[in-house]
Amino acid sequence: MASHHPAAGSEIAVDSRKLGIWVFLASEVIFFASLIVAYLVLHNRVTSGPTVHKLSLTIPTINTMILLTSSVAMVLALAHLRDGNRRASIAWLLTTAWLGICFLILKGVEYSHHLHEGLTPSVNVFGSAYYAVTGFHAAHVAVGVIWILSVALGLRHRLSPQNDVPVEAAGLYWHFVDLVWVAIFVVVYLMR
Amino acid sequence: MEAKAHKHPNYVLVGIILILITIAEVSVIGLPVPQLPFLLGFSIAKAFLIVAYFMHLKSDSRLYALLFAYPWPLALLLVGILIWVYFGFRA
């Protein structure tokens, strides 16, 4: 009997869409490694102006909890879809997107505090490195929110246990963004 | 909609463990202990849980795991070289 799975018939049973996402994520590892090493090298080379000690732990810790919870919501969306419960899957996708928006709002509040206290991207090398690392990560979160919303709202009638790759691909990206935040949280906020 | 019976890991439990590790990470700050080994250990544990359970690398095709693994040595090499070059020139 002929199978309709996209990977059926290939010698290695992989889905080309998932393969593409993994290759993309592999390239993102190098991208964020470059940013983080630049931060590590530059952040304590400040001769004047704000330093790393300006950073508060409160908002980043709450944001860590939010992103970890959103990852649970994302993986539950995939699990429910695979179990045939599309309605619950879409609800979890929307929950994930909402938690991502909460992360971005809190990031905006944190940036607002920093700017008010004089920590701007151009104030010194620490400011540049800090905004580069956290800003690129926040941009990835924003892309993830748009991606998840487009899957939840745009593809909602086409999602099924047989067609779960759109949710899985968005989930892989989202979990990777979470993984990067785990590194940023330790390097930028905890290791001083 | 055709449903298949899937046995999933307990994702909520994994999430709770991740949050508990985060609380432990933050609690270590300010304690009179060497913080770097604790922070590295905690973050590696969190990364493993996310990659293995949420990204399904523990149960998915080995090809994906290989694809995702290959840039990490390059990334570590990049970190090592850049830090060595920077601090080497400053010395």
Side-chain angles (χ1 to χ4, degrees):
Chain A
M1 192 171 75
S3 169
H4 297 292
H5 193 277
S10 62
E11 290 193 10
I12 304 171
V14 293
D15 187 291
S16 58
R17 293 167 293 179
K18 270 178 72 177
L19 195 65
I21 287 290
W22 279 111
V23 171
F24 169 68
L25 294 183
S27 72
E28 289 277 274
V29 169
I30 299 292
F31 175 74
F32 276 106
S34 309
L35 282 176
I36 288 172
V37 75
Y39 176 86
L40 278 172
V41 166
L42 297 174
H43 80 283
N44 57 359
R45 302 290 147 194
V46 176
T47 50
S48 65
T51 65
V52 68
H53 300 288
K54 272 270 184 199
L55 300 180
S56 157
L57 266 182
T58 311
I59 290 179
T61 305
I62 296 169
N63 264 345
T64 304
M65 306 293 187
I66 287 174
L67 269 195
L68 292 174
T69 309
S70 76
S71 262
V72 175
M74 189 72 221
V75 80
L76 286 176
L78 182 62
H80 279 293
L81 184 63
R82 286 178 170 171
D83 288 342
N85 192 347
R86 186 168 59 195
R87 191 180 290 267
S89 175
I90 289 169
W92 282 116
L93 282 174
L94 293 175
T95 305
T96 308
W98 169 242
L99 288 167
I101 290 168
C102 290
F103 176 92
L104 290 173
I105 290 171
L106 280 179
K107 198 80 214 157
V109 171
E110 189 188 12
Y111 280 170
S112 162
H113 284 292
H114 292 332
L115 294 172
H116 187 70
E117 290 171 356
L119 175 56
T120 65
S122 57
V123 67
N124 57 22
V125 72
F126 165 67
S128 303
Y130 168 74
Y131 281 103
V133 174
T134 58
F136 272 112
H137 177 266
H140 278 70
V141 173
V143 169
V145 168
I146 294 166
W147 189 348
I148 290 166
L149 283 176
S150 67
V151 170
L153 303 176
L155 297 176
R156 64 185 181 279
H157 297 303
R158 280 184 260 170
L159 297 176
S160 69
Q162 292 76 34
N163 184 28
D164 62 358
V165 175
V167 174
E168 191 173 10
L172 286 172
Y173 175 83
W174 191 255
H175 300 312
F176 178 77
V177 168
D178 193 8
L179 190 66
V180 171
W181 180 254
V182 165
I184 290 175
F185 182 60
V186 169
V187 170
V188 175
Y189 296 100
L190 297 183
M191 285 167 47
R192 299 190 180 198
Chain B
M1 193 183 295
E2 187 189 335
K4 283 187 286 184
H6 278 95
K7 184 158 170 52
H8 304 291
N10 190 339
Y11 295 124
V12 176
L13 179 64
V14 176
I16 290 169
I17 293 171
L18 284 167
I19 287 176
L20 288 176
I21 295 174
T22 303
I23 292 169
E25 270 181 331
V26 177
S27 304
V28 161
I29 302 300
L31 289 181
V33 291
Q35 293 176 0
L36 191 60
F38 282 101
L39 292 177
L40 283 179
F42 286 143
S43 53
I44 289 169
K46 283 165 77 177
F48 171 78
L49 288 173
I50 291 169
V51 170
Y53 291 99
F54 291 170
M55 298 172 91
H56 300 116
L57 274 192
K58 201 161 176 257
S59 54
D60 219 335
S61 168
R62 288 267 176 233
L63 180 66
Y64 301 136
L66 282 173
L67 264 178
F68 192 57
Y70 90 86
W72 288 92
L74 290 177
L76 288 175
L77 191 68
L78 180 75
V79 170
I81 288 174
L82 280 180
I83 288 177
W84 177 72
V85 166
Y86 184 79
F87 289 104
F89 277 115
R90 284 180 59 84

